[in-house]
Amino acid sequence: MKIIKLNAIDSTNSFLKDLVLHSDLENYYTVVTHNQTNGRGQQHSKWVSKPFKNLTFSTFIELKNFNVKNKKYFNFAVALAVFDTLTQNNIHKISIKWPNDIMSANRKICGILIENTFIGSHIKNSVVGIGLNINQETFPNFLPDASSMKLETGIHFNLDYVLEQILNNLKKRINTLEALKFQALEKDYLNVLYKKNIPTMFKNNQDINFMGKIIGISSLGNLVVELEDETIKEFGVKEITFL
């Protein structure tokens, strides 16, 4: 796989998406930067990362005859690749917060942004952006729940080595995906899903708080929640917030 290292850039996802438009890239082509000045996260949020302390990178993934109806399994594969890497490095109490944030206990350690290109009913390729907090030990006041691999272990990690681990795990999980082993991916994902089967307070997009229990992921990739009255409801990414 080809890895391009940049000293500083606004967004690795934006840079790589532009490359995709103008170049014929090999699979798993990766752009990594020491200093991402305008990182993007889910729902137009920003990813803030201290220069030279963390991994901020994007990887191009070309899929073969992958139907969009199976999109959630691609999401599972990417999140599990990061989960696998953190587990290999003895980071404890790791879980995946739907759809694809990675948590250490109740603190966020990694964010993932997946941007797909479609042809008809198929996903042609994806640009997968990953921001993983590795050696950063202090965070701004507006990120009170952030953590890093070093904060969790006291160990200073080699960024290049962790990047290699993630890319190797990503290949393994995508191989599982392309072998159509969807049930295996879903089982692994649900086994480590944050707050699964635990009564949790949520807020909907009408700013109404309610109690519910996560019981799964729907075929559309929505969060399936059992409410206090035992009714089952699905929520999309912009429709529900953890409290």
Side-chain angles (χ1 to χ4, degrees), residues 1 6 8-9 18 33-34 40 49-50 55 73 76 81 83 103 117-118 130 149 161 165 211-212 231 240:
M1 67 191 88
L6 303 173
I9 197 171
D18 187 61
T33 183
H34 293 300
R40 296 186 291 118
S49 179
K50 195 169 184 178
L55 274 178
Y73 301 108
F76 293 170
F83 177 90
M103 308 293 287
T117 299
F118 303 94
I130 295 175
M149 294 173 65
Y161 180 69
Q165 285 182 298
M211 184 70 73
T231 59
I240 191 172

Side-chain angles (χ1 to χ4, degrees), residues 7-229:
N7 190 50
I9 197 171
D10 57 349
S11 163
T12 57
N13 256 42
S14 297
F15 182 87
L16 188 52
K17 284 172 66 180
D18 187 61
L19 274 184
V20 171
L21 292 175
H22 301 97
S23 307
D24 185 18
L25 302 183
E26 64 183 78
N27 214 2
Y28 298 99
Y29 188 104
T30 297
V31 175
V32 59
T33 183
H34 293 300
N35 183 12
Q36 185 169 241
T37 59
N38 191 27
R40 296 186 291 118
Q42 293 279 355
Q43 302 181 59
H44 308 293
S45 62
K46 291 187 177 181
W47 183 259
V48 179
S49 179
K50 195 169 184 178
F52 298 93
K53 294 288 185 179
N54 308 304
L55 274 178
T56 46
F57 69 96
S58 297
T59 298
F60 170 76
I61 298 177
E62 190 168 32
L63 300 168
K64 301 172 185 175
N65 299 317
F66 192 75
N67 198 296
V68 67
K69 70 180 182 181
N70 298 317
K71 183 174 67 170
K72 74 170 185 176
Y73 301 108
F74 179 68
N75 180 80
F76 293 170
V78 173
L80 285 166
V82 179
F83 177 90
D84 295 341
T85 303
L86 292 171
T87 300
Q88 289 167 354
N89 286 284
N90 298 313
I91 313 299
H92 301 298
K93 298 181 179 179
I94 297 298
S95 61
I96 300 173
K97 183 179 177 182
W98 175 85
N100 50 25
D101 284 341
I102 313 297
M103 308 293 287
S104 175
N106 291 316
R107 304 174 74 188
K108 184 172 176 179
I109 198 169
C110 178
I112 299 170
L113 177 63
I114 299 174
E115 297 184 289
N116 298 312
T117 299
F118 303 94
I119 292 184
S121 61
H122 289 76
I123 298 176
K124 179 184 178 184
N125 56 57
S126 291
V127 171
V128 175
I130 295 175
L132 175 59
N133 297 330
I134 297 187
N135 293 319
Q136 188 167 340
E137 297 181 83
T138 59
F139 292 88
N141 291 334
F142 60 85
L143 296 174
D145 299 322
S147 189
S148 70
M149 294 173 65
K150 186 170 185 178
L151 283 175
E152 297 301 322
T153 64
I155 298 170
H156 184 90
F157 291 87
N158 181 288
L159 300 184
D160 290 338
Y161 180 69
V162 177
L163 174 62
E164 182 181 348
Q165 285 182 298
I166 294 175
L167 293 176
N168 286 333
N169 285 324
L170 191 55
K171 279 188 172 183
K172 291 176 184 177
R173 288 293 186 173
I174 296 300
N175 286 341
T176 300
L177 181 80
E178 295 193 319
L180 306 181
K181 296 179 180 179
F182 298 148
Q183 287 74 23
L185 289 170
E186 183 152 24
K187 180 182 178 182
D188 287 350
Y189 183 90
L190 292 178
N191 280 343
V192 297
L193 183 60
Y194 179 73
K195 298 289 188 180
K196 183 173 180 284
N197 293 325
I198 297 173
T200 302
M201 187 67 71
F202 299 95
K203 181 173 70 174
N204 64 20
N205 52 9
Q206 284 83 43
D207 289 329
I208 297 173
N209 295 348
F210 65 95
M211 184 70 73
K213 182 171 63 177
I214 297 169
I215 60 173
I217 307 296
S218 75
S219 60
L220 296 175
N222 293 330
L223 194 67
V224 180
V225 178
E226 180 182 320
L227 304 181
E228 285 187 291
D229 63 3

